[in-house]
Amino acid sequence: MYILILFGPPGAGKGTQAIKIAQKFSWIHISTGDILRAEVNKGTPLGRQIKTIMEAGKLVSDNLLISIMESVLLRHIGAEGVVLDGFPRTLTQATGLDDMLSRHGKKVNKVLSLKVDEKELTERLLKRAVEQGRTDDTEEVIRHRLVNYHQHTRPLIEYYKGRDLLTEVPGSGSVDDVFDSLCRYINLGNS
Ligand code: AMP
């Protein structure tokens, strides 16, 4: 099973690209944002708790994310490949992922990091708020999510660089151009 992490700040286009990659290679797209939003929509007590955190642009707890990811990955353990979109977002989640994969004799194969400048990110997120009605895409919450990204998620770039897994890909071109660049770095011989 090829395990690809699509990495980047909010608004970098991870979701759009992850869907295209999953389609092209017949892989499973796992978006933790989508999983959490589905839980919120169910209106369970857990969903209500998550909703408040997401609407504030904060990160949901590592323990919850790691246990969600373990059960989702187990469900898809026979798949040809998976694209992780939105996970890991903290160092604890990254080491949790490595632990759970090694327990199943698997490892992360590649981390592709989308680079987009901050001004463009905010513009894209505000546009998405109008298009998709996401309540966590207001200007103040966006700022919070970008701060979170810099504080907690960006350090993962060094973590994966140290493991020789990371490639940075410019994310500011057209969807198709970015997609082509990403695909060039998916070295299937390495699964
Ligand atoms: P996304 O759709 O990936 O932008 O995620 C939307 C929101 O879901 C984030 O702002 C967080 O509140 C929450 N979330 C998604 N993935 C994670 C994660 N791996 N760790 C913590 N919170 C997450």
Side-chain angles (χ1 to χ4, degrees):
M1 175 163 74
Y2 193 98
I3 299 171
L4 171 71
I5 296 174
L6 203 52
F7 188 85
K14 294 188 296 293
T16 307
Q17 297 295 341
I19 290 169
K20 286 176 74 72
I21 291 170
Q23 263 170 3
K24 179 180 164 93
F25 296 102
S26 301
W27 290 352
I28 307 291
H29 170 213
I30 302 174
S31 155
T32 46
D34 286 352
I35 293 169
L36 294 171
R37 279 185 287 277
E39 193 61 40
V40 169
N41 288 338
K42 279 194 236 157
T44 58
L46 176 65
R48 282 197 291 276
Q49 218 182 313
I50 296 172
K51 184 172 192 267
T52 318
I53 299 170
M54 288 175 80
E55 284 187 348
K58 294 184 184 158
L59 291 178
V60 177
S61 86
D62 286 334
N63 283 345
L64 180 63
L65 262 297
I66 291 170
S67 79
I68 287 177
M69 196 42 93
E70 178 128 41
S71 75
V72 176
L73 274 175
L74 271 180
R75 221 182 308 141
H76 296 296
I77 207 84
E80 284 283 311
V82 293
V83 193
L84 303 187
D85 158 15
F87 182 92
R89 254 177 161 100
T90 65
L91 209 49
T92 307
Q93 291 179 17
T95 52
L97 176 65
D98 284 346
D99 289 347
M100 81 175 78
L101 291 177
S102 76
R103 269 185 269 124
H104 297 287
K106 310 208 180 295
K107 60 179 174 45
V108 173
N109 292 89
K110 186 84 202 162
V111 182
L112 293 175
S113 171
L114 287 170
K115 265 188 102 159
V116 180
D117 81 47
E118 203 105 323
K119 189 165 167 282
E120 190 175 339
L121 287 176
T122 311
E123 280 164 12
R124 285 189 190 188
L125 288 165
L126 287 169
K127 190 161 161 260
R128 185 170 76 185
V130 177
E131 287 167 359
Q132 298 180 5
R134 270 182 61 161
T135 44
D136 59 348
D137 277 346
T138 64
E139 208 158 348
E140 197 198 325
V141 178
I142 289 169
R143 235 191 329 271
H144 212 104
R145 289 166 64 205
L146 288 172
V147 168
N148 256 332
Y149 172 76
H150 286 292
Q151 267 179 5
H152 301 286
T153 311
R154 217 160 164 258
L156 293 184
I157 291 185
E158 293 310 316
Y159 179 82
Y160 288 115
K161 260 189 194 160
R163 280 162 181 68
D164 221 10
L165 289 173
L166 186 118
T167 303
E168 290 191 305
V169 179
S172 49
S174 74
V175 169
D176 287 340
D177 287 348
V178 175
F179 178 60
D180 289 342
S181 315
L182 290 170
C183 288
R184 274 201 291 278
Y185 292 108
I186 300 174
N187 37 344
L188 290 173
N190 181 30
S191 58

